[in-house]
Amino acid sequence: MHDATFAELLAATERTAVHLEMRDSYAVGDEADDFSTFLRTGIPNLDPTRSFWPQWMPLVQEAVGRGVVMRRARIVSEPVTDYIRYEHAITPLNLEAGEEVRWLPRREASTIALPGNDFWLLDDTVVQFHHFTGTGDWAKDGRERTTDPAAAAAALCRTAFEKVWERAVPHAKYTP
């Protein structure tokens, strides 16, 4: 399980896949061109055949088609950064793929015990933490995974995500 790709992990997921994002800016290379264009024009690239979407959308669609509930929550500072405006503008593609997405203003998260890093939690047992540099790009050891369902990490992530989800605003109702 530790050497499996995320696509393999998601293919083995049976019930739930939740993702918590807590940064106000990411600088991952596969978004650089689209983000730059958005900054210049204010127009998001919503073409599902471009950028990283041709790899991501089929993974989500296949999982959701098998009955996996995929939820993504984003904790954001307000006023939002340019990156969050961009992320909000391209979220319709996440929704089209089958994800549910909610947004939580950071001030609403003050009383939630949160892990120190973004994560995926699959079937309440597999946790994949994401590590980023200070500038928002993937760190050298960008992913850390644990598969022990009794581990404190799984319990913390499960509880944190559910608390965020219950307080968060559905994408269609959130205005950055």
Side-chain angles (χ1 to χ4, degrees):
M1 197 62 77
H2 285 287
D3 294 332
T5 65
F6 185 78
E8 292 168 334
L9 289 176
L10 190 55
T13 300
E14 297 175 358
R15 297 175 313 283
T16 60
V18 301
H19 186 39
L20 183 59
E21 298 175 10
M22 298 181 283
R23 295 182 57 93
D24 286 321
S25 182
Y26 295 87
V28 291
D30 58 359
E31 296 178 323
D33 290 341
D34 286 347
F35 181 49
S36 177
T37 299
F38 178 78
L39 288 177
R40 275 194 328 277
T41 66
I43 300 169
N45 177 3
L46 295 176
D47 180 352
T49 66
R50 297 232 3 240
S51 192
F52 56 88
W53 296 108
Q55 292 79 39
W56 182 245
M57 291 183 79
L59 290 177
V60 175
Q61 290 164 336
E62 192 279 330
V64 170
R66 286 186 288 108
V68 174
V69 175
M70 291 190 70
R71 298 181 292 161
R72 179 184 300 257
R74 294 173 172 144
I75 298 174
V76 297
S77 298
E78 292 178 323
V80 300
T81 62
D82 287 340
Y83 183 84
I84 295 301
R85 282 189 318 101
Y86 159 75
E87 197 171 48
H88 187 273
I90 65 170
T91 295
L93 290 172
N94 294 90
L95 302 173
E96 182 181 324
E99 291 184 62
E100 298 174 45
V101 179
R102 292 186 182 181
W103 302 82
L104 183 66
R106 192 169 308 281
R107 69 182 177 277
E108 302 291 329
S110 296
T111 59
I112 300 173
L114 298 166
N117 296 289
D118 292 8
F119 65 85
W120 276 97
L121 176 62
L122 308 173
D123 284 340
D124 292 328
T125 58
V126 177
V127 179
Q128 179 170 292
F129 290 106
H130 291 175
H131 300 289
F132 296 94
T133 65
T135 59
D137 206 347
W138 288 106
K140 189 176 97 172
D141 61 343
R143 292 165 181 85
E144 173 188 354
R145 197 174 288 160
T146 180
T147 56
D148 181 354
L156 171 63
C157 291
R158 181 175 34 257
T159 301
F161 185 87
E162 293 306 328
K163 294 259 185 222
V164 168
W165 190 257
E166 103 187 1
R167 293 181 189 182
V169 178
H171 176 74
K173 293 181 179 180
Y174 182 74
T175 303

